[in-house]
Amino acid sequence: MSVKAAPQTQAHTADLATEADRLLTGLGVSRASYTEGTLAVQTPITGKIVGKVREVSAADAAVLIAKAHAAFQVWRLVPAPKRGELVRLFGEELRANKQALGRLVSIEVGKIASEGLGEVQEMIDICDFAVGLSRQLYGLTIATERGEHRMMESWHPLGVTGIISAFNFPVAVWAWNAALALVCGNSIVWKPSEKTPLTALATQALFDRALTRFTKEGGRAPAGLAALLIGGRDLGELLVDHAKVPLVSATGSTAMGRAVGPRLAKRFARAILELGGNNAAIVAPTADLDLTLRGVAFAAMGTAGQRCTTLRRLFVHESVYDSFVPRLKRAYASVAVGSPLEAGTLVGPLIDGAAYRAMQGALEAAKAAGAAIHGGERIAVEGAADAHYVRPALVEIAAQTGPVEQETFAPILYVMKYSDLDAVLELHNAVPQGLSSSIFTNDLREAETFLSARGSDCGIANVNIGPSGAEIGGAFGGEKETGGGRESGSDAWKAYMRRATNTINYGRTLPLAQGVKFDVV
């Protein structure tokens, strides 16, 4: 990545509301749905309103969930490869409209252009994965102790899948869930973040195009298969509490998970919780420092620190601290901060003022703890007085205490010195969250120790890459206060289905398991 200074000091000069309107209409979204509503949508690029979206009432949301349940009754009987065909067509729509949807992500979230496009690419990738999966929803044949019997497991569609997504990945995380849920035979109901409804409307419009193509080609797609609930927290609560929604996948803060988890458990519904991450990396004595600099810089500063996998804690061995940390400081001081729509920008704005205030509060707490703070100041961008651009903050601190133990959703990297691997592993694992982690080392023993049972306690553990930037082929998620959920690749699909164990007696006798005798005359 480049670390040159930003070439611009002005916000993008185009009228972003006009551009958003052009993109949305081009993607097939009704203009009334985002101009005649009550939910104001601000772009973090300028802080200005770019849309007013119609919200769904609680009564209408209940109707949509009921329709999704009815649709599930039909969709579950469609053969899985046929369900995969719908997802394949959706992937084609995403490919054809990648530039437009990626641009809209940048406008609504503030991501730089490559990250906006990368998010849509994630959607395309999970569609490809799900299409293949639609022919691989396999069960096991299990050895049985009874002669002339066969025992096996089979997997069946579960029901309506509720999806609650966060602002920072407004469409990719929905796609992770939606693509798998659909090929598994479920209907879907989506409650997006109130901060990012425009990209949700656009995605729904593209999915509706795929549905139309699917039915024209003879596919059986029931009405109500995919619903969108735009509105506030009350709609999320309705989705979580609804008896006809057996699974809710919720992405957000740990506080959100503490509210959602017990409510789902109360009615014995399933939860896929993707919550907070206070991710760390270890820079060992043998680390390739050039590679490490690039890995740390992207993981800590990319998306303005607003990824759940953002690198927030960095432990640097004392033998390389004085050679590595000054280089990292220079990168922080010179990284290009500005409008994400301008070429050369690497760090865009924070999502809103609340994020900025949280960042400043964490930096104040770190300063009170004796930390040395480099960066973190607000950057004035012409034409964007209502936006919140900041220089990423590198914070040198002696101990893992106070704000270091908490997740602040902003570009703050706490840097600490270590001398012993066992001791630093204890520090690494001593926070409540357990999402993603990394070690930079060329020592095989250190690498394998980090990946072993006594190493990282996170759901994602990497060697010589940062904790950020997961691929869809692996299951995504973490432990402890991260929630324990898994989405995307590997066998995460099993969470969207119900398992049945089947035993078939093809003989003429009835032996009982465990040698039990129960003979009747």
Side-chain angles (χ1 to χ4, degrees):
M1 61 173 285
S2 168
V3 293
K4 294 180 180 179
Q8 83 291 332
T9 57
Q10 298 183 19
H12 194 260
T13 55
D15 182 339
L16 296 183
T18 300
E19 183 174 8
D21 175 74
R22 177 181 61 78
L23 292 167
L24 287 163
T25 55
L27 292 168
V29 181
S30 162
R31 180 173 277 111
S33 67
Y34 61 86
T35 61
E36 299 178 3
T38 56
L39 178 60
V41 184
Q42 294 177 310
T43 171
I45 298 173
T46 62
K48 303 298 185 183
I49 293 175
V50 291
K52 291 186 177 180
V53 178
R54 286 180 175 173
E55 299 182 71
V56 175
S57 69
D60 288 343
V63 171
L64 289 171
I65 294 172
K67 287 182 177 179
H69 176 68
F72 162 70
Q73 305 291 323
V74 177
W75 188 242
R76 64 181 177 172
L77 303 179
V78 174
K82 296 293 185 182
R83 302 192 297 249
E85 174 62 11
L86 171 58
V87 175
R88 187 189 70 80
L89 292 173
F90 178 52
E92 285 189 355
E93 294 296 333
L94 290 171
R95 281 184 170 86
N97 295 279
K98 179 179 176 179
Q99 295 294 324
L101 185 56
R103 181 76 167 188
L104 192 60
V105 169
S106 291
I107 291 172
E108 192 168 43
V109 183
K111 291 187 176 184
I112 63 173
S114 64
E115 290 193 76
L117 293 172
E119 179 157 355
V120 182
Q121 187 61 49
E122 279 194 67
M123 302 173 77
I124 294 167
D125 292 344
I126 196 63
C127 286
D128 288 348
F129 180 92
V131 172
L133 176 65
S134 70
R135 294 181 181 271
Q136 300 178 66
L137 299 173
Y138 50 82
L140 301 174
T141 298
I142 305 163
T144 172
E145 66 188 63
R146 289 168 284 187
E148 298 186 306
H149 282 58
R150 179 165 63 91
M151 186 162 59
M152 64 181 186
E153 67 176 25
S154 53
W155 294 84
H156 301 294
L158 181 63
V160 179
T161 297
I163 305 169
I164 300 174
S165 59
F167 78 85
N168 59 327
F169 279 84
V171 288
V173 171
W174 170 82
W176 289 359
N177 287 277
L180 297 192
L182 287 166
V183 300
C184 287
N186 302 334
S187 56
I188 51 177
V189 179
W190 180 16
K191 162 61 177 73
S193 168
E194 303 94 297
K195 298 177 182 179
T196 53
L198 298 180
T199 45
L201 287 169
T203 299
Q204 186 70 34
L206 291 177
F207 185 76
D208 288 343
R209 286 188 191 178
L211 271 173
T212 299
R213 291 176 60 191
F214 183 70
T215 54
K216 283 184 177 180
E217 294 173 10
R220 187 185 181 194
L225 183 61
L228 178 60
L229 310 181
I230 291 180
R233 177 172 176 166
D234 59 320
L235 295 185
E237 292 176 342
L238 189 153
L239 192 59
V240 167
D241 293 337
H242 203 288
K244 296 299 185 182
V245 183
L247 168 65
V248 174
S249 176
T251 301
S253 68
T254 296
M256 182 271 286
R258 291 190 193 283
V260 168
R263 294 174 79 143
L264 291 170
K266 184 177 181 180
R267 63 180 183 88
F268 301 105
R270 295 188 195 178
I272 299 175
L273 298 178
E274 299 288 356
L275 310 176
N278 193 355
N279 314 293
I282 297 170
V283 182
T286 62
D288 178 332
L289 297 185
D290 291 334
L291 179 149
T292 302
L293 179 67
R294 294 168 61 85
V296 168
F298 169 70
M301 292 189 282
T303 326
Q306 297 172 120
R307 287 175 177 245
C308 53
T309 53
T310 290
L311 176 60
R312 308 200 184 279
R313 297 176 294 137
L314 185 66
F315 299 99
V316 182
H317 193 269
E318 59 187 8
S319 65
V320 295
Y321 191 97
D322 291 338
S323 58
F324 179 72
V325 174
R327 294 179 62 187
L328 191 58
K329 288 179 188 176
R330 289 194 292 273
Y332 266 68
S334 61
V335 70
V337 181
S339 169
L341 304 183
E342 297 289 349
T345 296
L346 293 179
V347 178
L350 294 174
I351 189 68
D352 55 24
Y356 173 74
R357 290 187 292 274
M359 179 179 181
Q360 297 309 306
L363 293 177
E364 289 172 9
K367 185 177 181 180
I373 298 172
H374 311 278
E377 69 276 9
R378 190 171 180 180
I379 294 177
V381 174
E382 188 176 337
D386 297 322
H388 294 83
Y389 292 86
V390 293
R391 170 117 347 241
L394 188 153
V395 179
E396 294 182 90
I397 193 164
Q400 182 167 270
T401 186
V404 186
E405 297 176 318
Q406 303 160 6
E407 179 190 34
T408 302
F409 221 57
I412 302 175
L413 180 64
Y414 299 102
V415 182
M416 292 157 281
K417 189 181 295 186
Y418 83 95
S419 58
D420 177 74
L421 180 62
D422 288 334
V424 79
L425 285 174
E426 287 188 20
L427 286 173
H428 177 284
N429 295 341
V431 296
Q433 309 86 353
L435 178 53
S436 192
S437 57
S438 298
I439 189 169
F440 291 89
T441 181
N442 284 320
D443 185 317
L444 178 62
R445 289 188 177 90
E446 285 186 327
E448 291 293 342
T449 297
F450 185 76
L451 301 180
S452 74
R454 72 182 182 93
S456 169
D457 65 356
C458 295
I460 300 170
N462 298 328
V463 176
N464 290 333
I465 64 170
S468 192
E471 295 183 35
I472 59 92
F476 181 91
E479 302 302 323
K480 302 187 295 188
E481 289 189 2
T482 302
R486 293 297 186 273
E487 297 170 330
S488 199
S490 185
D491 65 349
W493 61 270
K494 292 180 178 179
Y496 303 84
M497 304 195 81
R498 61 179 178 88
R499 182 199 314 247
T501 300
N502 315 124
T503 304
I504 302 166
N505 178 1
Y506 56 89
R508 297 183 180 277
T509 59
L510 190 66
L512 302 179
Q514 295 87 46
V516 173
K517 299 295 183 182
F518 195 89
D519 296 325
V520 295
V521 177

